[in-house]
Every structure is written in structure tokens, then in C-alpha cells.
Amino acid sequence: MYMIDERNKEMSTYVFYPMTTEVASAICKWKYPEPYSLYNMDAGSECTDEMMSGMYFYALDQESNLAGYICAGHAARVPGGYANGLYDDNECLDIGLGLDPVRTGFKKGPCFISKVDDQELEFMAMTYSLEL
């Protein structure tokens, strides 16, 4: 499936793979500029270990460049969500995502998440909530 990026007018497609230690380590080192810096992770082994939990997948773009990642289940939940009741519905599968910092700010998120849905990854459920 190809989607047109409205800002850059380029074709985007993504292929997802189970997370590897090498890719997880690279993702944990990503540093986002403002206003996205709240998504910065700790580059330590704890971050890499979390990404190797089996609920993370990385995405390559059409040129085989690392584009982002997705996660599901408890791995996708954010701490503030519990207090706000976001996780009260146990019928939904929570999905999280992250794009390479150089891809942020260009409205690429909708294309990225639409490809996740199209690819029907094995952990997808009939209903889900998206955590951004």
C-alpha cells in the first residue's frame, strides 16, 4: 500500500519486522527536538531490554532505512493513562509508535499507522486504542 505524504509529496511504504537487539539499541539512542523531546528514551540496557519483550516491531521504509517502531499491549501504555482511565477497557489492544526523529513534524504518522493496520501484524486485535 502506498500513501502520499501531504507535505513532501512522496510515496511512503513500510515493512515491519520483529525487534532485534541491534535495532532496539539504535532506537533507544534517538533524540527528539522540541516539542517532541518528551519521547526521548534512556539509551541504557533497560530500554533495549524493554524493546526485546516480544511486543515491539521495527519498520523499514522503501529504501530499507529504519523509519520507526510500533509496540502493543502493556508496552504501549503511558503512565498518565492509568490516572485518566485510558486503560479501563480491557477489550482494546493498546498500540504505541515512534518515528525516527528526522521524520517528525512532517505529518508522516497517519501513513505510518495506516500501514500497521494494513499489514495485519500478528498481535493486532479487532479493536485498539492508539497512544501518541
Side-chain angles (χ1 to χ4, degrees), residues 4 9-10 25-27 30 44 53 64 74 95 106 122 125 127:
I4 303 251
K9 301 294 185 200
E10 66 184 36
S25 179
I27 290 171
W30 285 352
S53 69
S64 296
H74 289 284
I95 298 175
F106 299 106
E122 61 189 65
T127 59

Side-chain angles (χ1 to χ4, degrees), residues 1 3 12-17 55-60 67-72 93-99 108-125 128-130 132:
M1 172 182 187
M3 301 289 291
S12 296
T13 187
Y14 304 101
V15 180
F16 294 83
Y17 301 93
M55 294 306 291
Y56 284 80
F57 292 75
Y58 68 94
L60 300 181
Y69 69 92
I70 57 169
C71 57
L93 177 66
D94 300 295
I95 298 175
L97 65 92
L99 289 173
K108 293 180 181 261
C111 176
F112 188 78
I113 196 64
S114 73
K115 188 59 179 170
V116 173
D117 192 38
D118 288 345
Q119 211 165 342
E120 299 179 357
L121 296 173
E122 61 189 65
F123 62 80
M124 295 295 289
Y128 54 86
S129 64
L130 174 63
L132 296 175

Side-chain angles (χ1 to χ4, degrees), residues 8 13-14 19 29 49-50 61-62 71 86 95 109 111 128:
N8 296 333
T13 187
Y14 304 101
M19 187 61 68
K29 294 174 186 166
D49 291 346
E50 166 65 24
D61 65 14
Q62 63 270 22
C71 57
L86 294 178
I95 298 175
C111 176
Y128 54 86

